Amino acid sequence: MADCECEPKEPKPEPEPKPKPKPKPKARFLVPDGKWFKYSDTGKKVYMAFQADPENWIWRGDRPRTKILNNMIKYGGNALALYSIQTHGGDAKWENRTDMNPWIKFEPRHGINKKTVADWYKIAQKMDANNKILIFNFRDDETKPYGKNKSMVKVEKDYHDYIIKTFKGLTHVVWLVAEEYSEIMSQKYASQVARYIRDRDPHHPIAIHQTSGSSFDFSNDKYKGEQLFNSFFMQSVTIGGRMDLRGRLRRAVKQAQGRYNVCMFEGTDHDGLIWGHGEEAMRKAEICAAEGAYFGWYDRGGNKYSAAELKFLKRLQSKMERKINVR
């Protein structure tokens, strides 16, 4: 047999290795950490020093609410509370408004107005990009949009589902079950709402706001082995001066025992007036910080915070974060 003069077969080239998929960035959330909030990725603790007012800023026109947001980003203050429902008996009645809620035709039975929620989300994204915390308040005090129910009803669950799904991917979110919750729901009902939120968002903190008093109604409530509420949003009326304020905060923080944090969210002095501005507001803020509590300035809707006051919030936030992050 004649020798084959064909060319030798070239070996098949080795297949090129497939590129390894790029690792997905680790999710970053503001999460509860006992006495404070912290970032889930770095463990850095966050101090909240902010303006808790005006409650209706999200319902003001685009220009005024943009000004509030931009002033916070430019000067200081690291949170704003979004009061999502203020009708159906809530504070919108004082303004003779029926449109301060996110439903079609302003009634829950017609379904969620997704355009309104999308508008909120754009604002929340801007806050998130600037490390500002959105305190999402599901219900203003006295609001009863679902009737006189004693537990969550379907239309209420639908609303919570949609809101949580929309916002839970952001870093800087705190869920607030209700303002002055006892005016619209029982303690059992409020706990049900908190559990419902936790089942749908295992990361972000859950807070609740009470009527006046330094004792937290939910101090011993647990869910799945963890503290159910991570933040006691405190209200104090008829504060009789700085020493009285200090005593009230000290009692609240002592009761917490580091299991949840305390936030002085709404306070009035002995004449039923606001905390004040300038030097007086700053000294009261420093008392809150010294006693181991967060705080929000309450102004009864005036929104008269100056650039100097907002810069003070930024300085106090920075000072406290240096202190609480010492290892």
Side-chain angles (χ1 to χ4, degrees), residues 32-192:
D33 186 40
K35 190 174 181 179
W36 309 108
F37 298 145
K38 69 176 182 180
Y39 287 115
S40 59
D41 56 347
T42 64
K44 181 186 175 183
K45 295 171 185 175
V46 175
Y47 186 73
M48 288 203 305
F50 62 102
Q51 58 181 82
D53 214 31
E55 294 176 357
N56 66 357
W57 72 274
I58 198 67
W59 297 110
R60 297 187 177 195
D62 185 61
R63 287 182 66 183
R65 73 181 184 187
T66 299
K67 182 179 179 181
I68 290 167
L69 180 58
N70 288 345
N71 280 345
M72 178 178 66
I73 292 170
K74 183 177 180 180
Y75 299 118
N78 63 338
L80 278 173
L82 189 160
Y83 281 55
S84 68
I85 304 168
Q86 293 196 275
T87 54
H88 298 81
D91 287 344
K93 65 188 177 187
W94 303 114
E95 300 176 68
N96 296 313
R97 289 182 62 174
T98 59
D99 59 347
M100 292 163 71
N101 67 60
W103 291 299
I104 296 167
K105 297 181 181 178
F106 311 111
E107 289 293 338
R109 66 181 181 273
H110 297 303
I112 296 163
N113 187 329
K114 295 181 180 179
K115 186 178 181 300
T116 297
V117 177
D119 190 32
W120 293 349
Y121 185 69
K122 286 179 184 176
I123 292 169
Q125 281 183 307
K126 184 174 180 179
M127 291 176 63
D128 207 47
N130 287 278
N131 299 319
K132 307 301 182 184
I133 299 164
L134 178 75
I135 301 166
F136 194 99
N137 180 18
F138 282 96
R139 289 170 69 175
D140 192 10
D141 62 312
E142 299 182 334
T143 59
K144 292 186 178 178
Y146 315 112
K148 296 180 180 179
N149 50 310
K150 295 183 179 180
S151 61
M152 294 184 79
V153 295
K154 184 180 183 304
V155 70
E156 180 179 7
K157 291 178 180 179
D158 290 344
Y159 179 57
H160 281 69
D161 286 340
Y162 191 79
I163 292 297
I164 294 166
K165 184 179 178 181
T166 300
F167 291 91
K168 73 175 184 179
L170 299 174
T171 295
H172 303 87
V173 175
V174 173
W175 302 117
L176 183 60
V177 168
E179 186 202 28
E180 297 180 6
Y181 85 91
S182 59
E183 295 186 359
I184 52 176
M185 60 180 70
S186 67
Q187 189 170 334
K188 184 177 178 181
Y189 183 175
S191 293
Q192 182 198 6

